[in-house]
Amino acid sequence: MLCIQIQIMSNPSGLPEIKQDRVLTSEDWNHKWENRNIGFHEENIHPLLAEFLKEMINGRTHLNIFFPFCGKAVDMKWLADLGHNIVGVDVSEIALKEFFEEHSIAYVEEEVTGIPEAKLFKSTSGNICLYCCNIYLLSDSVIGKFDGIWDRGALVAVNPRERERYVNVLLSLMNEDVRYLLVTVDYDPKLHAGPPFYVPKSEVEALFGSLCNFKQLKKVEVFTDKQKLWGLDFFFEDIYLLTRKSHS
C-alpha cells in the first residue's frame, strides 16, 4: 500500500496548511515570459502601492527603491517620475527590455563586474537600473543599500524552501531607515500549488521578526475569475510595512 504523508500546520485563518514545495527554476520563469504566460504582470500601478506609498516615503525624497523580481512593473516608471532612484532584478531579459521599450525610455546595456553572465540595463538618465540575473547573486557591494522596497510579487514567487535565503538577501540590502512594503496572498493552500505561494502572517513574523518590526496595513479581497480557475473560492492580498527594529 502506498502511503502519502501531508504536513498540516495550524495558521491564523484556521485553515489546514499543506506545505507547498513546488520548485520553479530560472528557466521556468524565462519560459513564462517567452510564452507570454505572464498573468502576474499588472498593466496599471498597483492600488496598494498607490494607497500606501506615503508609508514607504515617510516624508523623504530621492529614495533608492528596490524592486525584487521586478519584471516590467509599471510601478517602477511611476516612482522614477516622482524623483526616486529605482533598482530592479529579474531573470528575464525579455521583461527588462520590454519595460524600457514600452515606456520609450532610452537605455544602455552593461556587464556587471563580479557576476558572470549578468547584465545591467540602465536608463541613460541613470535613475533606473535593472539587473538581469539571479537575485541570490546580488550584494550591497554591487547594487548598494535601499531606503525603500516594494515587494508585490517576489516573496510569494520564491520557492518556499528558499524563503530564508531570499529574506537574508533583502536584509543585507536594507538601510537602517528602510521602509519595506510587502504584499502576500492568502488562500486555501490545499487547493492551489502556487505560485503565487500562500504566505501566512505567522511566516512573515518568523522570517523577518528577529530584525524587523512589521504591521499589517490592510487585507483586501481580490478574488477574480483567474483565481476561480485555479479552483479557489477566496483570495486576499495582505500588505505589511516592515522597518528595522532600531528605526520603527
Side-chain angles (χ1 to χ4, degrees):
M1 179 181 294
L2 176 64
C3 294
I4 300 175
Q5 276 195 329
I6 298 176
Q7 180 179 354
I8 299 181
M9 298 173 286
S10 62
N11 65 75
S13 65
L15 292 166
E17 178 188 352
I18 297 177
K19 183 179 179 182
Q20 296 182 312
D21 53 7
R22 184 180 181 192
V23 175
L24 276 75
T25 65
S26 296
E27 289 75 18
D28 292 327
W29 287 107
N30 274 308
H31 289 156
K32 285 180 179 290
W33 283 96
E34 291 164 1
N35 298 325
R36 313 313 294 174
N37 181 18
I38 54 172
F40 48 83
H41 172 69
E42 297 195 2
E43 298 290 342
N44 300 304
I45 296 165
H46 196 287
L48 289 176
L49 177 59
E51 182 174 355
F52 293 105
L53 178 61
K54 62 184 181 298
E55 296 285 351
M56 180 196 292
I57 301 303
N58 198 34
R60 302 171 296 170
T61 58
H62 306 298
L63 302 187
N64 293 322
I65 300 177
F66 185 50
F67 278 70
F69 294 26
C70 62
K72 58 176 182 177
V74 298
D75 308 310
M76 296 190 289
K77 172 70 161 52
W78 182 51
L79 292 179
D81 288 345
L82 291 176
H84 304 294
N85 297 311
I86 305 303
V87 174
V89 61
D90 203 282
V91 297
S92 172
E93 184 172 325
I94 292 173
L96 303 184
K97 287 183 174 179
E98 286 185 0
F99 168 79
F100 289 107
E101 293 163 0
E102 290 176 4
H103 294 286
S104 301
I105 300 173
Y107 69 96
V108 295
E109 179 179 330
E110 301 176 359
E111 295 182 352
V112 181
T113 303
I115 306 181
E117 299 183 6
K119 296 180 181 180
L120 168 61
F121 300 96
K122 182 177 181 179
S123 65
T124 54
S125 58
N127 64 335
I128 303 177
C129 294
L130 306 184
Y131 290 82
C132 186
C133 66
N134 190 308
I135 191 172
Y136 303 121
L137 300 177
L138 294 178
S139 66
D140 61 337
S141 64
V142 176
I143 64 173
K145 289 183 179 285
F146 296 95
D147 312 301
I149 299 173
W150 170 239
D151 183 339
R152 191 278 298 184
L155 179 61
V156 297
V158 168
N159 295 321
R161 66 180 66 175
E162 296 178 339
R163 282 177 187 160
E164 288 189 12
R165 186 182 182 193
Y166 170 78
V167 168
N168 285 336
V169 171
L170 290 194
L171 290 171
S172 73
L173 300 176
M174 292 180 179
N175 275 331
E176 286 300 312
D177 60 349
V178 69
R179 298 179 73 83
Y180 172 4
L181 291 177
L182 168 66
V183 177
T184 63
V185 292
D186 181 12
Y187 60 83
D188 184 345
K190 301 190 307 299
L191 302 178
H192 180 56
F197 296 106
Y198 168 66
V199 181
K201 186 175 182 179
S202 59
E203 185 151 4
V204 175
E205 182 175 16
L207 290 167
F208 293 97
S210 63
L211 293 175
C212 295
N213 291 313
F214 74 97
K215 64 178 178 179
Q216 186 172 353
L217 300 175
K218 190 173 187 178
K219 186 181 193 76
V220 57
E221 185 171 18
V222 288
F223 185 65
T224 68
D225 288 340
K226 177 171 67 175
Q227 287 82 35
K228 189 178 294 185
L229 289 173
W230 295 348
L232 300 179
D233 48 17
F234 68 90
F235 191 82
F236 291 89
E237 286 186 332
D238 296 291
I239 182 167
Y240 300 89
L241 173 69
L242 289 84
T243 57
R244 300 295 294 237
K245 282 197 169 178
S246 58
H247 287 77
S248 59

